[in-house]
Amino acid sequence: MNKNNYALIMAGGVGSRFWPVSRTEYPKQFIDFFGVGKTLIQSTYDRFLKICPPENIFIVTNEIYTDIIKEQLPGIGDNQILAEPIMRNTAPCVSYGSMKIAQLNPNATIVVAPSDHTITNPEAFVTAIERSLKAASENDCLITLGIKPSRPDTGYGYIQYTESVLETDPEIFKVKIFTEKPNLDLAKSFVQSGDFLWNAGIFIWSAKSINKAFLTHLPDMHEIFQQGNSSYNTDTEKEFIGNAYQQCINISIDFAIMEKADNVYVLPADFGWSDLGTWASIYDIAEHDYVGNAVIPSEKVMMFNSSNCMVNVPKNKLVILQDLHDYIVVESNDTLLICPRSAEQSIKQIVADVKSKFGTKYI
């Protein structure tokens, strides 16, 4: 196993679209949605153990989740948890992590990945990541993984690529443009063209290349975190980061770097990926009964003339559904949500309205 390979797992999101199961104090990355005995972050960590030495896996998260990280990932040391004092999107956490890792190993090659995605073909995932890490170690480039689209989905960003390839790898293509979530007609044209991929939000680069990219495209943020070189991996790191984050703008790595850099490449991949962005994505992956119901757990749920429902309820709760079709039924933390599957995009607004009326008690 290459000791220059590092993983930076992003685990700071609040997962509001999975409310009420996912709460601010215990968001979706720490939940076992499929009843498999592992939470999403545990599954992500286990995948990277096949790619990096355990001491080279770092978790960046909000400081309020530090204890949960230690509980769910007992192999992680304190120095491997990058605790953010406030939420500032993905660019600051990438800059922080890259600077910290570079201080440990200037020759590091880093994969940055969310903690809450699912991969149904982990072997193909490992192969794609290792290929990308090798290419990133040999070239001054920023690599992203692009998922071959199976349908014209409007919930994903898209990456268009050209015929130009890396000199060292003919399967890694030059990126032409990133496109945010398109409308259905545009998504259909993307899929039909054959040169668009879904943006998986998984990035691979050397520490030198990504820090150089920050210097070029976001110099103020680069300077903020460069000032911490004497503090990283010491007892003064936490104090430095507390001050640094107050100075950072709220911006994503996609917008700050990937959409602006001219050395961005993509590896088309297919490893059974889902970003688990909505209850619909859970429904798509979960096992269904003969009329399309996905029930997790299923021990005490009884369905009568009901079909195509997504049901997630406590194990000890007896639930009976009669004449219900195409609904989401979710109960957790003294909250019951019943919502048409077609209206699940409104859940985020529902959460905002609940917060407005009842405060943070149910959020």
Side-chain angles (χ1 to χ4, degrees):
M1 188 174 291
N2 191 333
K3 292 187 177 180
N4 288 334
N5 289 349
Y6 288 75
L8 184 65
I9 300 174
M10 299 181 291
V14 296
S16 61
R17 287 185 177 86
F18 285 96
W19 182 85
V21 173
S22 177
R23 301 283 184 107
T24 299
E25 64 181 22
Y26 212 89
K28 69 170 183 172
Q29 58 266 32
F30 305 121
I31 296 170
D32 176 9
F33 277 100
F34 299 100
V36 297
K38 287 184 181 179
T39 64
L40 297 179
I41 193 171
Q42 288 172 330
S43 296
T44 301
Y45 178 77
D46 287 352
R47 283 194 294 272
F48 281 109
L49 286 175
K50 301 174 183 177
I51 297 167
C52 311
E55 64 272 18
N56 288 9
I57 301 176
F58 291 80
I59 313 293
V60 56
T61 189
N62 191 289
E63 61 184 13
I64 66 175
Y65 303 137
T66 298
D67 289 342
I68 304 176
I69 295 286
K70 291 179 179 179
E71 176 186 343
Q72 294 201 359
L73 303 177
I76 288 286
D78 289 346
N79 191 50
Q80 293 168 264
I81 301 175
L82 285 65
E84 298 180 292
I86 50 177
M87 295 180 68
R88 281 291 186 265
N89 216 316
T90 53
C93 80
V94 170
S95 185
Y96 171 22
S98 300
M99 288 282 189
K100 177 180 171 73
I101 291 171
Q103 201 271 344
L104 289 170
N105 182 354
N107 297 316
T109 309
I110 307 166
V111 52
V112 179
S115 61
D116 52 4
H117 292 184
T118 61
I119 306 295
T120 59
N121 188 342
E123 292 80 13
F125 174 79
V126 170
T127 298
I129 294 295
E130 289 182 336
R131 181 172 196 158
S132 301
L133 285 166
K134 183 176 186 297
S137 70
E138 298 170 345
N139 300 272
D140 178 18
C141 62
L142 310 175
I143 299 173
T144 183
L145 297 188
I147 306 301
K148 297 174 183 178
S150 59
R151 61 189 182 277
D153 199 305
T154 60
Y156 298 138
Y158 285 74
I159 301 168
Q160 185 181 24
Y161 60 97
T162 69
E163 295 181 356
S164 300
V165 297
L166 273 179
E167 289 185 9
T168 60
D169 193 321
E171 297 300 321
I172 299 180
F173 298 86
K174 185 77 179 290
V175 168
K176 182 177 182 179
I177 193 169
F178 286 83
T179 302
E180 288 304 308
K181 300 173 183 179
N183 60 39
L184 183 57
D185 288 340
L186 197 54
K188 287 179 178 177
S189 69
F190 287 172
V191 174
Q192 290 169 358
S193 74
D195 58 356
F196 280 83
L197 303 165
W198 286 337
N199 183 2
I202 301 171
F203 309 108
I204 303 94
W205 41 53
S206 68
K208 293 175 182 175
S209 290
I210 188 59
N211 288 332
K212 177 182 174 183
F214 269 97
L215 176 61
T216 301
H217 302 288
L218 206 60
D220 290 347
M221 188 171 292
H222 177 270
E223 182 179 356
I224 288 169
F225 287 104
Q226 188 178 45
Q227 291 173 0
N229 280 334
S230 61
S231 296
Y232 296 134
N233 309 298
T234 73
D235 292 339
T236 63
E237 179 175 330
K238 182 177 180 179
E239 180 182 359
F240 168 77
I241 289 300
N243 293 326
Y245 265 70
Q246 298 294 334
Q247 304 171 54
C248 288
I249 61 172
N250 187 321
I251 189 170
S252 71
I253 188 68
D254 299 76
F255 185 72
I257 303 294
M258 302 303 285
E259 295 180 15
K260 295 177 177 149
D262 60 4
N263 60 337
V264 178
Y265 289 78
V266 62
L267 173 64
D270 184 7
F271 39 73
W273 168 87
S274 173
D275 69 344
L276 291 191
T278 63
W279 281 111
S281 57
I282 297 284
Y283 176 83
D284 289 341
I285 295 172
E287 292 186 8
H288 300 157
D289 65 16
Y290 70 101
V291 288
N293 295 308
V295 183
I296 311 169
S298 59
E299 288 84 354
K300 291 187 177 181
V301 177
M302 301 176 68
M303 313 285 284
F304 297 96
N305 189 35
S306 297
S307 64
N308 301 319
C309 290
M310 172 72 241
V311 183
N312 187 297
V313 295
K315 289 183 179 180
N316 62 345
K317 179 76 68 172
L318 174 62
V319 176
I320 297 95
L321 301 186
Q322 171 78 46
D323 296 329
L324 204 62
H325 306 279
D326 298 291
Y327 265 76
I328 297 167
V329 180
V330 182
E331 181 183 355
S332 183
N333 303 303
D334 297 323
T335 305
L336 173 64
L337 172 71
I338 302 173
C339 171
R341 285 176 53 208
S342 61
E344 74 162 347
Q345 294 295 336
S346 65
I347 291 177
K348 200 166 186 179
Q349 183 58 49
I350 290 171
V351 173
D353 292 344
V354 170
K355 184 177 181 181
S356 176
K357 185 169 184 177
F358 298 105
T360 59
K361 178 181 179 181
Y362 297 101
I363 307 302

